[in-house]
Amino acid sequence: MKQATGIAIGIVAVTVLAAGAGYWLGSRAAVSPGEGSAPMAAAAAKGASEPGQRKVLYYRNPMGLPDTSPVPKKDSMGMDYTPVYADEQDDEPASANQIRISTEKVQKLGVRTEAAQRRTLDRTVRAAGRIEPDERRLFTIAPKFEGYVERLYVNVTGQSVGKGQPLFEVYSPELVSAQREYAVAAQGVTALKDAGGQAQTGMQDLANASLQRLRNWDVSPEQVKALADSGEARRTLTFRSPVAGIVTEKKAQQGMRFMPGEALYQVADLSSVWVIADVFEQDIGLVRTGARAKIRINAYPDKLFEGAVTYVYPTLKSDTRTVAVRVELANPGLLLKPAMFAQVELAVSAKGPMVSVPLSAVIDSGTRQIVLVQQGEGRFAPREVKLGARSDNYVEVVDGVKDGEQVVVAANFLIDAESNLKAALAGFAPAASAEAGKAGSAANPHAGH
């Protein structure tokens, strides 16, 4: 009995001791956050103020959220907050528009710079074009009198003709009458050659007027001479091609009646042709007369045709915002056909050496253009620039960058994004630090003592 009683008393004693120990441990755990914060902050401040140590201003959220802390902490995912050191911020108040990035981050971003230099900006202007016949080599055959087509020698459009080759014969009562009039006048001059005075003069004037009338009707000198020699009028007159070329239009039909001035044939000399290129409005200021041009035709991909700009048209097409530019080309073998499409490349150059930077160095927002200028190791300053002429790889800087200054040509958009993030965090940092200080004071009124 006494043994059982002793065992019960021992169990009760152990229970009481365990409860007391648990109470004491719970009390220490409840007090530890408040008491531990001050030593952690003090240790951090002490470590930051030691010689040779970088001073920590605050800790920012590792995910870029607008949340800072005066002491080290972890976010909801267990990631450590990132320290922000004083030497990373000391230049920002003095130079608000300067971007500063650590050397390690510059290497990770792949930043590359290149010096702005004075260079001549040669470039190639590309335009679409079309082949057209030389307007100065187009000839129209239109009789100047009324008549009828008696016979056709060239009866097919597209046929090649030589210079002086017969095209067609016509009959005209007016032409026959004019020939007889000239024949009679020529005979009268011969008969009155021994007579003097007014009769001979009048007959000579009549012969000259009849001859001039025939010439005005495009009667050839050979036909006129034959008429004067024989004294007999020919019933028909043969029209010949004035140039070697291609018949591009034929309206004449055998037996048809035509009126004075009616076009019956059109002959084009295609030994030389035009390329009419449509150059866009923004490029037309670079094109000059005499500029060399390279032309490629889809029908002949293995051939390159070369010519020169001979004329820049003075008008602009409002629907396409282009200006026509004329290039003259020799056409041996008649390979170039009118209405063919062509790709035209015009070699143009700017006014002379000018300060220029690579096109990749310019950050264009649409309303302004920015260039990042390197001002030291890890230091970059954005400059607003005014741009001018462009080449295929470079652009002129009229104002904003000087010759020899280093500009960022690679990863400039990443630097710009980094600077925007730092600016956003800097804007939140003071307010977040003040809120964190208030929260710490409320949680532990003894902090700082």
Side-chain angles (χ1 to χ4, degrees):
M1 186 67 176
K2 290 180 178 181
Q3 185 178 2
T5 303
I7 292 173
I9 292 173
I11 293 173
V12 172
V14 172
T15 304
V16 171
L17 289 174
Y23 177 78
W24 181 79
L25 291 174
S27 299
R28 294 297 298 172
V31 174
S32 61
E35 293 179 350
S37 299
M40 185 181 294
K46 182 180 179 181
S49 61
E50 290 180 358
Q53 297 288 334
R54 300 173 68 188
K55 182 180 179 181
V56 179
L57 294 181
Y58 55 90
Y59 296 82
R60 61 180 176 86
N61 188 288
M63 302 301 293
L65 299 176
D67 179 24
T68 61
S69 171
V71 297
K73 60 180 293 189
K74 297 180 181 292
D75 64 0
S76 59
M77 301 176 62
M79 299 175 64
D80 293 328
Y81 271 47
T82 305
V84 177
Y85 297 98
D87 57 1
E88 292 181 347
Q89 302 289 328
D90 54 1
D91 284 342
E92 291 187 3
S95 182
N97 65 337
Q98 192 178 81
I99 304 169
R100 183 166 183 174
I101 301 177
S102 65
T103 305
E104 180 182 0
K105 191 166 292 186
V106 167
Q107 294 176 351
K108 289 183 178 180
L109 293 177
V111 177
R112 185 165 54 86
T113 61
E114 184 177 325
Q117 296 181 4
R118 298 181 65 86
R119 55 174 62 88
T120 301
L121 300 183
D122 295 329
R123 61 172 296 190
T124 300
V125 174
R126 294 175 174 82
R130 61 197 175 276
I131 305 297
E132 293 188 1
D134 189 339
E135 294 177 359
R136 299 165 299 185
R137 297 172 179 264
L138 294 177
F139 298 88
T140 299
I141 293 88
K144 301 174 182 177
F145 48 84
E146 180 182 353
Y148 301 86
V149 177
E150 286 281 314
R151 183 179 179 183
L152 293 178
Y153 295 103
V154 175
N155 199 21
V156 179
T157 302
Q159 181 176 340
S160 299
V161 296
K163 184 175 181 180
Q165 179 178 338
L167 297 177
F168 61 100
E169 286 186 4
V170 299
Y171 162 73
S172 172
E174 294 180 345
L175 180 61
V176 173
S177 175
Q179 291 183 78
R180 288 176 178 172
E181 181 179 337
Y182 173 71
V184 171
Q187 293 175 0
V189 169
T190 303
L192 296 177
K193 65 179 180 178
D194 296 332
Q198 189 174 2
Q200 186 180 13
T201 303
M203 186 60 66
Q204 185 64 49
D205 292 341
L206 179 60
N208 293 338
S210 301
L211 177 61
Q212 187 61 42
R213 186 179 181 186
L214 293 175
R215 290 174 177 172
N216 292 340
W217 283 351
D218 296 331
V219 177
S220 65
E222 293 81 6
Q223 292 173 317
V224 172
K225 185 176 182 304
L227 175 63
D229 294 339
S230 64
E232 297 181 0
R234 294 189 57 183
R235 180 176 180 276
T236 61
L237 176 67
T238 302
F239 278 81
R240 301 176 181 274
S241 175
V243 66
I246 304 296
V247 176
T248 58
E249 185 176 355
K250 184 190 77 70
K251 294 183 178 180
Q253 301 292 335
Q254 190 159 333
M256 69 172 288
R257 179 188 180 187
F258 58 86
M259 301 302 292
E262 184 175 353
L264 300 182
Y265 281 84
Q266 187 175 69
V267 180
D269 180 7
L270 299 180
S271 60
S272 176
V273 295
W274 288 352
V275 178
I276 305 299
D278 295 324
V279 178
F280 286 108
E281 182 178 2
Q282 63 266 24
D283 296 329
I284 197 62
L286 302 174
V287 180
R288 299 287 185 272
T289 301
R292 300 302 301 175
K294 296 181 179 179
I295 294 92
R296 298 184 184 276
I297 307 296
N298 293 336
Y300 313 108
D302 58 331
K303 294 183 180 295
L304 179 65
F305 301 89
E306 295 187 3
V309 175
T310 58
Y311 188 65
V312 178
Y313 286 80
T315 56
L316 180 141
K317 300 177 182 178
S318 59
D319 52 345
T320 59
R321 309 305 302 174
T322 57
V323 176
V325 174
R326 187 171 72 208
V327 179
E328 293 188 16
L329 283 181
N331 188 20
L334 303 182
L335 295 178
L336 302 177
K337 320 293 185 185
M340 274 186 171
F341 284 112
Q343 290 84 42
V344 182
E345 296 180 359
L346 302 174
V348 298
S349 59
K351 52 191 174 184
M354 59 192 70
V355 178
S356 59
V357 298
L359 290 172
S360 60
V362 180
I363 302 175
D364 195 340
S365 66
T367 57
R368 62 175 187 165
Q369 292 79 36
I370 301 295
V371 170
L372 295 178
V373 180
Q374 187 179 34
Q375 296 185 331
E377 191 68 27
R379 298 169 184 254
F380 307 94
R383 298 251 192 99
E384 185 171 355
V385 294
K386 182 179 179 182
L387 304 180
R390 294 173 180 259
S391 69
D392 294 336
N393 300 312
Y394 294 91
V395 59
E396 175 191 7
V397 180
V398 179
D399 185 29
V401 175
K402 297 180 180 179
D403 185 18
E405 287 188 306
Q406 294 288 332
V407 298
V408 180
V409 299
N412 45 4
F413 286 96
L414 297 177
I415 295 176
D416 186 50
E418 179 76 13
S419 67
N420 292 337
L421 176 60
K422 283 192 173 184
L425 293 177
F428 283 109
S433 299
E435 292 296 333
K438 291 180 182 179
S441 299
N444 183 10
H446 300 288
H449 293 283

